[in-house]
Amino acid sequence: MNEEGLQQIINIRASMNWGLSDLQKSEFINYKPVYRQIIHYTDIPNLNWIAGFSSGEGCFLVSITNSNRNKIGQVIQLTFKISQHNRDKKLLELIAKCLNCGTVYSHSENASVFKMAKFDDITKKIIPFFNQYPILGVKNLDFIDWCNIATFIGEKEHLNHKGLSNIKLIKDRMNTKRK
């Protein structure tokens, strides 16, 4: 690779995601971010597209927090979310509209998030949607685990020690902990 080719790569990298790090900026002082056209989304082309996009960008989360709201002393919260650069906030709003649930909000100066955590929406909208339009790849394993936890919650198994223990085991193999 020649110097010109490297500079082109740096310029492209400067326009992606969070841009260049401070170290990269100090090493490549002549960088010029490549112009990225803002796409004005008006429609989701196909509901399978949401499944594919979620396979790469979505996250099925399980949080367990201490609480005095029940005898077991812990509360389980399921969340589905997609984070994107603010330039794609309209896309997240279209996804929320297609799924008929969730909210879109600005997470930071550069990031927007589609998030849904209402259990009724999980069981009546999100799970049926991804069963009809399947998540592919390793993310499907997280979805299956997430659905299993939703079943435990729906059957009130999260309110006893055995069910809670099973949920913790499932949670501990999801997302970045998956091998």
Side-chain angles (χ1 to χ4, degrees):
M1 175 181 304
N2 60 27
E3 203 170 307
E4 183 180 320
L6 178 59
Q7 188 63 52
Q8 287 178 334
I9 291 170
I10 296 300
N11 292 344
I12 293 169
R13 173 67 180 98
S15 67
M16 295 173 60
N17 301 324
W18 301 107
L20 299 177
S21 68
D22 290 337
L23 176 62
Q24 291 167 327
K25 288 177 185 176
S26 70
E27 294 291 323
F28 300 97
I29 55 175
N30 295 323
Y31 75 92
K32 292 181 179 133
V34 174
Y35 172 74
R36 290 185 65 181
Q37 179 180 357
I38 295 178
I39 299 170
H40 299 282
Y41 303 96
T42 58
D43 198 11
I44 300 292
N46 179 314
L47 295 179
N48 283 303
W49 184 92
I50 293 176
F53 191 74
S54 297
S55 293
E57 300 293 327
C59 191
F60 297 97
L61 301 167
V62 180
S63 62
I64 302 173
T65 54
N66 292 331
S67 173
N68 57 7
R69 290 182 5 195
N70 61 37
K71 287 188 260 179
I72 200 94
Q74 293 187 303
V75 173
I76 312 294
Q77 177 70 60
L78 297 179
T79 305
F80 173 66
K81 85 191 223 188
I82 302 172
S83 301
Q84 290 292 290
H85 192 281
N86 272 338
R87 71 178 154 257
D88 292 320
K89 185 175 184 178
K90 293 286 185 206
L91 172 63
L92 295 176
E93 290 169 352
L94 280 172
I95 291 171
K97 182 179 172 186
C98 281
L99 296 174
N100 194 28
C101 63
T103 58
V104 176
Y105 61 93
S106 292
H107 177 266
S108 66
E109 181 182 329
N110 294 319
S112 290
V113 176
F114 161 75
K115 177 181 177 183
M116 62 81 40
K118 198 169 156 186
F119 190 72
D120 206 40
D121 286 342
I122 289 168
T123 58
K124 293 180 180 167
K125 296 177 182 176
I126 297 299
I127 291 174
F129 179 85
F130 287 122
N131 281 334
Q132 184 173 358
Y133 304 97
I135 296 278
L136 300 178
V138 72
K139 185 84 52 135
N140 185 50
L141 299 175
D142 292 329
F143 173 67
I144 291 168
D145 285 342
W146 195 73
C147 291
N148 288 335
I149 293 172
T151 299
F152 277 112
I153 294 170
E155 295 172 353
K156 307 290 185 206
E157 290 295 313
H158 66 297
L159 299 175
N160 66 59
H161 289 288
K162 184 177 184 217
L164 182 61
S165 181
N166 285 334
I167 289 170
K168 287 178 178 179
L169 287 172
I170 294 169
K171 178 186 184 311
D172 284 343
R173 69 175 182 228
M174 290 178 65
N175 300 315
T176 57
K177 297 174 188 170
R178 186 168 300 284
K179 295 184 185 200

